[in-house]
Amino acid sequence: MNIAIYDLDKTITSRPTFTHFLIFYAQHASPIRLVGLPLWILALIGYRIGLYGRKPLKQFGIQLFIGRKIASDTLTRVVGKFADNVASRGLQPGAVAQLRVDRDRGAFLVLATAAPEFYAQTIGDLLGFQAVIATHHIMTAHGHLTNRILGDNCYADEKLRRIEGWLAQNSIDRKAANIVFYSDDISDSPTLNFADQAYAVNPSKNFAAAAAKANWGVMDFRSAGDVAQV
C-alpha cells in the first residue's frame, strides 16, 4: 500500500494557518474580539521564550478570539469560508503539483497536522485527502466544541503516535506499506525517520543540514517544478 502523508502549515500552505484562522474567525463572527490581538502577540512572545508550551498557547488563542465554547453553526459557516480561502489563495505551487503526482500514482493521501481538526478536516476534504490526523478538541455534553484540547497537541512525537494509531485502526501492516512524508519543520523528525521516503520542504539552514545527515530528500514547494517521482 502506498501512503503519502503531508504536514499542513507551510508544507502545503504558504503560511501558518492557526493565527490566520483565529483572526479570520473573529473578523467573520465577532469583530470586537480583534481587540485581543495585542494580547495574542504577547502570548506568542511568551511561547517563544519558553514560558509555556503549544497546548496552553493554542487553548488561550481559541478562548481569546472564539470563546471557551464554539457555536457549531457559526463554526461550520466560518470554517467553510476559511477553507475555501486557503484552498484558492494559500497553497504552495509545489505542494499542489506533488499532490497531483501522488494522487496519480494511486497513493492514499493523509494529512497529518497539529492544526485543530475542526478546520483541518475541511481543508483536507477540499484538497482530496482521504484521511486527516489533527488535534482534537473536547466537546461539551450538549455537543459544542470547546477551546480545550483533548489529549496532546498533534505535534512532533505525538504526531507519529497518532499516525501509528491510525495505521493500527485501519489494519494497515507497516511492513506492507510504503510511506512517504513531507514536512517543512524539523519538529517532524520522528515521522520523517519513520517514513520510507522523507522530504524536508523549503528547509531552513539547520533543517537542511539535518536532512543531509539523515538522508532525507529536500524539496522546494515554492515552485511547481520541483516534484518527486516516488
Side-chain angles (χ1 to χ4, degrees), residues 48-120:
R48 291 292 183 186
I49 64 176
L51 296 182
Y52 35 77
R54 284 175 175 258
K55 181 175 178 177
L57 174 70
K58 293 171 78 171
Q59 292 179 151
F60 173 72
I62 294 173
Q63 178 182 335
L64 184 65
F65 288 100
I66 301 175
R68 287 191 176 92
K69 295 180 182 179
I70 309 170
S72 57
D73 55 344
T74 304
L75 182 66
T76 299
R77 174 176 59 85
V78 177
V79 163
K81 292 181 178 180
F82 178 73
D84 285 339
N85 181 276
V86 170
S88 62
R89 303 179 185 178
L91 305 181
Q92 298 205 75
V96 175
Q98 190 62 53
L99 278 165
R100 187 179 302 115
V101 168
D102 284 328
R103 188 178 297 111
D104 288 348
R105 71 183 178 86
F108 192 94
L109 300 179
V110 179
L111 182 63
T113 174
E117 186 182 44
F118 56 72
Y119 70 74

Side-chain angles (χ1 to χ4, degrees), residues 93-173:
V96 175
Q98 190 62 53
L99 278 165
R100 187 179 302 115
V101 168
D102 284 328
R103 188 178 297 111
D104 288 348
R105 71 183 178 86
F108 192 94
L109 300 179
V110 179
L111 182 63
T113 174
E117 186 182 44
F118 56 72
Y119 70 74
Q121 182 68 57
T122 305
I123 293 173
D125 290 344
L126 279 178
L127 298 181
F129 282 91
Q130 293 149 289
V132 174
I133 298 168
T135 297
H136 297 301
H137 282 257
I138 294 172
M139 296 192 73
T140 68
H142 299 290
H144 293 295
L145 276 173
T146 74
N147 68 308
R148 292 176 294 147
I149 290 173
L150 178 63
D152 292 325
N153 188 40
C154 186
Y155 178 79
D157 289 325
E158 176 63 17
K159 183 181 287 188
L160 176 57
R161 284 193 288 270
R162 294 281 303 280
I163 290 169
E164 290 177 316
W166 175 82
L167 291 170
Q169 289 166 11
N170 288 277
S171 303
I172 299 171
D173 182 356

